[in-house]
Amino acid sequence: MAPADAPESTPAPERARGLRLLLRPGAAVLSGLLLFLSFPPRPLWWLALPGFALLGWTLRGRRARAGFGLGYLAGLGFLMPLLSWTGEEVGPLPWVALAAVSALFVGAVGLGIAVVSRLPAWPVFAAAVWVLGEAARARVPFGGFPWGKIAFGQADGIFLPLAAVGGTPVLGFAVALCGFGLYEAVRLVLARRAAPRSRTGEPADPDAPPAQAQVPAPAPTSAPTSAPAPARGPLLAAALAVLVPVAGALAALPLVSDAPEDGTATVAAVQGNVPRLGLDFNSQRRAVLDNHANRTRELAAAVKAGKEPQPDFVLWPENSSDIDPYANPDAYQVIDEAVREVNAPTVIGSVIAPETGNLRNTLIQWDPEKGPVAEYDKRHVQPFGEYIPMRSFVRLFSSDVDRVRRDFGPGNKVGVFDLAGTKVGLATCYEAAFDWAVRDTVTDGAQLITVPSNNATFGRSEMTYQQLAMSRVRAVEHSRSVVVPVTSGVSAVIRPDGTIVAKTAMFTPDVLVEKVPLRSSLTPATRMGTLPEALLVAVAAAGLGWSVTRSVRARRARTA
């Protein structure tokens, strides 16, 4: 006999029940981790498919409240590691807060998917609900935060041509639809193999709760008849949810081309590097400016020696001169001499500090003969980075807000520079994440896009690779070459088909000189703008409305 004071062990049925209770929450977190792992720098874009399939298993048939909770866990599993770079220099609190707030949108998506998951062809509605959630997150609060759109993880994937069809919403919808369809197809195949089959011909649902035990009916006296064949319609719909996105991507391949339509241009992207990493990198602003000027002079010397071709224009990154050249004659002289020496119009990233009002994050078109001739002020300035909303409240949680002593203000004009006859569209760093901020440069005539950026604040994190993937998606979306000059790396030159033809190492001074095709035709995505997203949002709304109507009717029927 066991001692009287020996602790009682937990009964096996209770342990099994506890494990079952943890199964779906664990699966929700795992689905988010798979979505994260599908993003660069890992070339594992295909992990998004099992990620969505697992999310579908987690949410299908759940109640709305459970759907929100499970969706929120999936959002944390996805966004917490994806956005870890935001805490690189300011500690974990801003990172955790941003991920926790952003995951609320994924929680709402989980609720929506749970609601539509009992509809016929539910993967279509579920994928549209995912797009609805991304659309909301890209707009609110503070102008939105679209970082982590599923489309941005697909730069190496087979679905990428769909970006030219309908932009990031259609690309993200296709990936989510394929993943949900994959789960539904597997579920139905397993159900068709299960016994017994239902009298209506519907396959048994392996996720459904066990039925009440019933007294078996007396055996028939006549010869037995064969059971009706399981319905093939739902299985066919699930198969189509997998196959249609793949077929659509293959059909969209003719839209992806890097053939020059308006000739070519030789472009130089300068990466000057920074004296040190972190938030205080710009405390040596003159060193940063000198680094970029010196790399430009070295390029000029290489051109004179015949080692490099003469560039048609030169692109410096964002914040390459944080010293206002209009207010500081010495900075003006350093820039002007470098531009004259390379003898090509150059785009300078600067901070303009007027005597009153907000700072301006400005790109300056610098002519080798005339000096500054045009400006573009960044239109979507970064909340909590370039300006601090609710400053007194946020200070309660982090004193780092006072590093931003003077807020930046947004510009209001589309950025397109005419550089030696080439129309160059401008999207400064953070703006590359926003569909509208890139598209309107192309509709305003841009033949090439540049995304000058400054990633020095985020050290050696994955941020620069995630942003580079955005630029690759934008290249295919609008069929334009994209040049990404970055202060500290990774700078790159991308052709209109999304391929990278040249790139730098991180925190290494370098200059990229490449001949790139110029194009002026507009893809369907560019022409339609927000229409594909609006249609998918309408599909999501229709599915949610249909599901709610069905639930209300069923409730009334039970109480009648």
Side-chain angles (χ1 to χ4, degrees):
M1 294 180 61
D5 57 348
E8 295 182 3
S9 59
T10 304
E14 291 187 13
R15 287 199 303 270
R17 182 173 179 274
L19 291 175
R20 285 198 299 271
L21 289 175
L22 294 175
L23 184 59
R24 287 189 187 272
V29 173
L30 180 57
S31 70
L33 287 172
L34 289 173
L35 295 181
F36 159 67
L37 292 172
S38 72
F39 274 69
R42 294 159 296 277
L44 303 177
W45 59 269
W46 51 270
L47 283 179
L49 301 181
F52 278 114
L54 185 58
L55 184 63
W57 177 83
T58 303
L59 295 172
R60 183 182 177 277
R62 301 303 101 188
R63 296 183 181 273
R65 185 170 61 181
F68 179 85
L70 293 168
Y72 189 71
L73 290 175
L76 291 177
F78 174 34
L79 295 170
M80 195 69 76
L82 186 80
L83 303 178
S84 60
W85 50 268
T86 60
E88 186 74 15
E89 294 293 334
V90 295
L93 184 59
W95 158 43
V96 172
L98 176 61
V101 171
S102 298
L104 289 172
F105 290 88
V106 187
V109 167
L111 183 155
I113 293 174
V115 167
V116 302
S117 65
R118 295 191 184 276
L119 295 176
W122 70 268
V124 175
F125 296 108
V129 168
W130 183 272
V131 174
L132 171 61
E134 288 191 335
R137 189 160 63 89
R139 289 166 172 81
V140 292
F142 310 118
F145 187 70
W147 209 283
K149 272 189 168 186
I150 287 300
F152 295 146
Q154 297 296 307
D156 290 307
I158 61 172
F159 300 103
L160 181 60
L162 290 170
V165 176
T168 59
V170 168
L171 176 53
F173 173 78
V175 176
L177 176 60
C178 195
F180 290 137
L182 182 65
Y183 159 66
E184 180 69 352
V186 172
R187 184 185 74 84
L188 291 175
V189 167
L190 294 177
R192 284 173 61 85
R193 293 179 178 177
R197 292 171 175 145
S198 70
R199 293 183 181 273
T200 60
E202 290 293 334
D205 187 348
D207 292 334
Q212 296 279 340
Q214 297 179 355
V215 177
T221 56
S222 58
T225 58
S226 60
R232 290 185 172 86
L235 183 56
L236 177 60
L240 289 175
V242 176
L243 296 175
V244 168
V246 176
L250 295 175
L253 280 173
L255 296 175
V256 181
S257 173
D258 64 353
E261 295 174 333
D262 304 317
T264 61
T266 300
V267 56
V270 177
Q271 178 175 300
N273 204 13
V274 298
R276 62 172 176 262
L277 313 187
L279 292 174
D280 294 323
F281 78 94
N282 61 355
S283 62
Q284 298 186 32
R285 295 179 298 167
R286 180 55 190 266
V288 176
L289 170 57
D290 287 343
N291 284 351
H292 288 85
N294 290 338
R295 300 292 81 74
T296 304
R297 292 192 184 98
E298 291 173 2
L299 170 62
V303 170
K304 290 178 182 178
K307 298 179 181 178
E308 293 285 1
Q310 171 65 44
D312 294 310
F313 51 90
V314 178
L315 303 173
W316 286 17
E318 177 191 31
N319 300 134
S320 46
S321 174
D322 270 354
I323 304 174
D324 184 347
Y326 301 127
N328 297 272
D330 57 334
Y332 187 106
Q333 183 178 358
V334 168
I335 296 170
D336 195 59
E337 288 178 354
V339 174
R340 287 179 180 273
E341 198 164 338
V342 79
N343 194 31
T346 303
V347 176
I348 309 296
S350 187
V351 173
I352 305 302
E355 292 184 2
T356 60
N358 293 323
L359 299 173
R360 290 156 44 206
N361 188 338
T362 301
L363 300 176
I364 304 172
Q365 179 181 345
W366 207 289
D367 187 85
E369 296 181 1
K370 301 176 182 178
V373 295
E375 295 177 357
Y376 168 69
D377 295 332
K378 186 177 182 179
R379 291 175 292 162
H380 201 308
V381 292
Q382 182 181 355
F384 305 103
E386 293 173 305
Y387 77 100
I388 306 297
M390 307 183 300
R391 183 182 288 267
S392 59
F393 174 75
V394 176
R395 189 182 290 113
L396 297 175
F397 302 93
S398 175
S399 61
D400 284 318
V401 299
D402 292 322
R403 292 177 180 269
V404 183
R405 298 184 179 89
R406 185 176 175 187
D407 287 343
F408 283 80
N412 55 18
K413 293 182 179 179
V414 179
V416 178
F417 286 167
D418 187 333
L419 301 178
T422 298
K423 297 292 184 65
V424 177
L426 311 167
T428 305
C429 195
Y430 183 58
E431 292 182 319
F434 294 86
D435 295 346
W436 59 267
V438 181
R439 175 181 176 267
D440 60 11
T441 68
V442 179
T443 56
D444 270 27
Q447 301 164 294
L448 175 147
I449 299 168
T450 183
V451 184
S453 302
N454 173 27
N455 299 335
T457 301
F458 305 110
R460 299 183 181 276
S461 69
E462 294 184 359
M463 183 269 189
T464 189
Y465 301 103
Q466 294 172 10
Q467 189 177 50
L468 182 59
M470 293 180 192
S471 295
R472 294 180 62 191
V473 172
R474 299 302 184 197
V476 174
E477 181 180 9
H478 300 294
S479 194
R480 295 293 187 271
S481 298
V482 179
V483 182
V484 185
V486 184
T487 51
S488 55
V490 175
S491 300
V493 178
I494 305 165
R495 295 179 73 86
D497 61 358
T499 58
I500 298 175
V501 294
K503 66 178 181 179
T504 67
M506 292 182 69
F507 296 101
T508 303
D510 207 346
V511 178
L512 303 176
V513 183
E514 293 291 334
K515 181 179 288 187
V516 295
L518 303 177
R519 295 176 61 85
S520 56
S521 62
L522 302 182
T523 64
T526 309
R527 293 180 185 276
M528 291 189 291
T530 60
L531 179 60
E533 182 181 62
L535 292 175
L536 291 171
V537 167
V539 171
L544 292 168
W546 184 14
S547 183
V548 170
T549 300
R550 281 168 48 120
S551 297
V552 170
R553 289 176 177 173
R555 191 178 301 114
R556 288 175 178 173
R558 287 195 299 268
T559 58

